[in-house]
Amino acid sequence: MFCIMDYRRDICTFAFMLIVHLSNIPVARLSCPTDCNCQDQTAICNGVSSFPNLTFTSSNFSAFEFSNCHFANGILPMLPRSYMHIATLSFTNCSKAVAPDAFAFLVNLQSLTITKSHSLKFMSPMPFSTLKLLQVLDLSDNELTTLPADLCDNTPLLRIVNISHNQLNKIPLTTFRNCLKSLEQIEMQNNNFSTLSYETLPWVYLHSLNMSSNPWNCDCAMQWVKDVPKVLFNGSRCSSPEGYFGKELFDAENEMHCGLGNKAIALGIGIPVLIVCVLALGYCLYKIIHRNHKSMPSSVKYSSVYGDTVESGYKRSNV
């Protein structure tokens, strides 16, 4: 701006001094929540018994990591509405159970970790009911014996799942039913799996899978392994039967001839049964035809002489 007249010059000077003054006022910085340490956009909170209140200057943290928590009764409670914006949430050694409404307000959450909770044996699908944007789920290193049924009914974008180092021996067929096309990576090593149904996981879409350190039973129930890329089973070894102990799961299943054996058994039983049925049918038909033939009336020509008269005709008789 060009100040031509004196009063305009005074205005320009005042405006310039005001700008200089305002530039020296410290800008409010992002403040770390109480009882937490902060690095960049991540708040790290250790040993808390409740969730810290987030103020205007602390509500811009996009990630929270909680560890060694002391929640009442060991139950992970509902996070306040002020945590609605966070994208990444992690709990380490924090709970033996998760409240059904724990994540009710976390509609923007994309990554969730609950790990090293050694008393956590079960999780219902309820806590996941609002996590429509969740892409990464880490439930590793707990004591889980089963997974939430219908987990993907509310998390259709789930891409990466880590369920390693638990006590799992089966996965419900409905657990990943509605996110089969989005799942790319699954970590399920160090559990108690001995068998698995083909329908459980999206083998066509998976990019990475770790099934190692499980007591796999390499029998005919696992023959579907031969139809899946071998790379997905690297490190997965048989624990039984005895003749296959220590052998790679994929190689063991390719050595078996379950399909041929079943067909041979079916043929060995089916052909004799078919022959017996044909013979029995033939015998029955023969008996029916023979019986009908015997009961059929026949005509016999006869002639008789009575005196001088000769009569001729046909007499019906049974053969």
Side-chain angles (χ1 to χ4, degrees):
M1 179 183 293
F2 295 97
C3 299
I4 301 173
M5 301 178 65
D6 291 343
Y7 73 92
R8 291 183 179 177
R9 184 179 300 108
D10 293 339
I11 292 175
C12 289
T13 302
F14 174 77
F16 176 76
M17 295 300 295
L18 180 62
I19 292 173
V20 171
H21 174 71
L22 292 176
S23 66
N24 292 326
I25 297 177
V27 178
R29 295 183 178 181
L30 207 60
S31 62
C32 193
T34 307
D35 300 326
C36 300
N37 296 315
C38 296
Q39 299 176 358
D40 298 326
Q41 294 294 311
T42 301
I44 303 171
C45 313
N46 182 53
V48 299
S49 57
S50 61
F51 294 114
N53 292 322
L54 299 185
T55 63
F56 175 78
T57 57
S58 63
S59 61
N60 288 326
F61 287 96
S62 60
F64 278 80
E65 297 178 3
F66 296 94
S67 60
N68 304 311
C69 313
H70 302 289
F71 298 127
N73 301 317
I75 300 176
L76 198 157
M78 182 174 65
L79 281 86
R81 188 185 295 270
S82 57
Y83 286 75
M84 181 183 297
H85 65 284
I86 66 175
T88 302
L89 181 62
S90 174
F91 297 96
T92 301
N93 187 28
C94 274
S95 64
K96 63 181 181 181
V98 179
D101 58 353
F103 313 126
F105 295 121
L106 307 188
V107 294
N108 294 299
L109 194 66
Q110 298 179 28
S111 177
L112 173 64
T113 297
I114 302 175
T115 186
K116 294 184 184 250
S117 296
H118 297 303
S119 296
L120 184 61
K121 300 180 181 295
F122 170 79
M123 282 194 69
S124 78
M126 290 297 293
F128 303 96
S129 61
T130 58
L131 305 184
K132 307 293 185 182
L133 302 181
L134 191 68
Q135 298 184 35
V136 180
L137 177 61
D138 185 351
L139 298 176
S140 64
D141 205 6
N142 297 302
E143 295 291 328
L144 292 173
T145 57
T146 186
L147 291 176
D150 304 319
L151 172 65
C152 288
D153 284 7
N154 297 299
T155 57
L157 302 181
L158 202 57
R159 296 187 302 105
I160 300 173
V161 176
N162 189 345
I163 53 175
S164 65
H165 296 86
N166 279 286
Q167 301 297 320
L168 298 166
N169 58 22
K170 65 179 179 180
I171 298 176
L173 292 177
T174 58
T175 295
F176 300 118
R177 177 178 53 190
N178 288 326
C179 57
L180 292 179
K181 292 186 178 181
S182 63
L183 279 176
E184 299 175 356
Q185 178 181 335
I186 299 180
E187 304 289 327
M188 51 188 293
Q189 66 271 24
N190 292 94
N191 277 284
N192 293 324
F193 293 109
S194 60
T195 190
L196 199 64
S197 171
Y198 177 81
E199 293 78 14
T200 305
L201 298 175
W203 306 103
V204 175
Y205 301 98
L206 281 179
H207 298 165
S208 176
L209 174 68
N210 191 339
M211 295 171 50
S212 63
S213 300
N214 283 289
W216 295 111
N217 180 27
C218 300
D219 60 4
C220 292
M222 295 284 286
Q223 278 282 285
W224 55 264
V225 166
K226 298 190 295 185
D227 301 323
V228 177
K230 180 178 181 179
V231 66
L232 293 178
F233 301 104
N234 286 345
S236 302
R237 298 183 179 275
C238 307
S239 290
S240 60
E242 185 176 352
Y244 291 94
F245 180 82
K247 187 177 289 290
E248 289 276 352
L249 172 62
F250 187 88
D251 295 336
E253 294 298 337
N254 273 277
E255 291 179 9
M256 294 184 183
H257 303 288
C258 298
L260 181 61
N262 291 338
K263 290 179 181 177
I265 293 173
L267 291 174
I269 296 175
I271 290 177
V273 170
L274 180 62
I275 293 173
V276 171
C277 291
V278 170
L279 291 175
L281 180 61
Y283 178 75
C284 291
L285 290 174
Y286 167 77
K287 293 294 290 183
I288 293 171
I289 293 172
H290 182 67
R291 185 171 60 250
N292 290 341
H293 179 69
K294 290 180 66 177
S295 62
M296 185 180 298
S298 61
S299 298
V300 178
K301 188 175 183 179
Y302 68 92
S303 63
S304 62
V305 180
Y306 293 96
D308 297 332
T309 305
V310 177
E311 296 180 357
S312 64
Y314 291 88
K315 179 183 179 181
R316 297 183 64 87
S317 63
N318 292 328
V319 180

